[in-house]
Amino acid sequence: MSDTPSRPSQAQLDRYAELFTQSLTLRHFGARMSFPEGRKVVVELPEVQPHHRGGLGSSAVNGGVLAALFDIAIGCTPALRDTTRRCATVQLSMSFERPVTGNRFHVEAVIDNGGASTLFASAKIIDAEGRVCARCQGVVRVSNQQWASGESPATN
């Protein structure tokens, strides 16, 4: 018998992403979530809108939008281990390296380390040309309680 916990199936991760993508939160941003090959969280903004812009008074994506998408991506990394347990971001540290310009970008987040109740994760924002524009490290608290829906944090 193995002590290694089982990981969620790709079908479970796809369902979690589907529900979260349908939530008011991601719909508000016009974003969608996925878990490619069950190895990372991807939050994609396929069409930057005028209300996303305004960084430094320019047409760059506003840092508040980037911070929110970092929070979503880092906060959902525990799903890579268990899609049913509640979790919450408790710390984010961001570094903005270049303006995010263009009409689309995405966030990629992975688990770096952690135990049963605390995960350390990192993420990066990548623009349409494949350039890393921002980086983030975060800490996520994982609860023993299940999501109210039983499937994802998407409640709205």
Side-chain angles (χ1 to χ4, degrees):
M1 187 185 297
S2 171
D3 289 335
T4 305
S6 64
R7 304 281 185 207
S9 68
Q10 189 64 50
Q12 289 170 307
L13 289 168
D14 291 345
R15 177 70 176 153
Y16 183 103
E18 174 188 357
L19 291 171
F20 210 130
T21 296
Q22 292 172 8
S23 72
L24 287 175
T25 303
L26 285 191
R27 286 188 318 187
H28 171 76
F29 283 104
R32 59 182 174 230
M33 178 181 288
S34 64
F35 295 91
E37 300 175 9
R39 298 180 185 269
K40 61 185 170 184
V41 179
V42 173
V43 178
E44 180 181 11
L45 192 66
E47 187 176 343
V48 175
Q49 299 293 317
H51 60 272
H52 297 130
R53 299 192 188 275
L56 294 174
S58 72
S59 63
V61 177
N62 186 279
V65 172
L66 302 177
L69 294 178
F70 267 145
D71 184 24
I72 291 166
I74 292 271
C76 288
T77 57
L80 293 165
R81 292 189 174 176
D82 185 344
T83 59
T84 66
R85 291 172 62 190
R86 292 183 187 199
C87 54
T89 307
V90 296
Q91 186 273 329
L92 289 176
S93 176
M94 295 168 272
S95 172
F96 300 106
E97 299 173 8
R98 68 169 20 104
V100 178
T101 58
N103 294 321
R104 62 184 171 87
F105 68 91
H106 71 277
V107 183
E108 295 180 2
V110 296
I111 297 171
D112 295 326
N113 203 348
S117 63
T118 305
L119 293 181
F120 300 89
S122 59
K124 54 190 172 185
I125 290 178
I126 302 169
D127 69 12
E129 284 75 43
R131 297 177 297 198
V132 174
C133 298
R135 298 176 197 275
C136 181
Q137 293 181 309
V139 180
V140 183
R141 173 78 168 98
V142 183
S143 172
N144 288 327
Q145 294 181 342
Q146 291 193 341
W147 294 112
S149 73
E151 293 186 286
S152 94
T155 59
N156 52 23

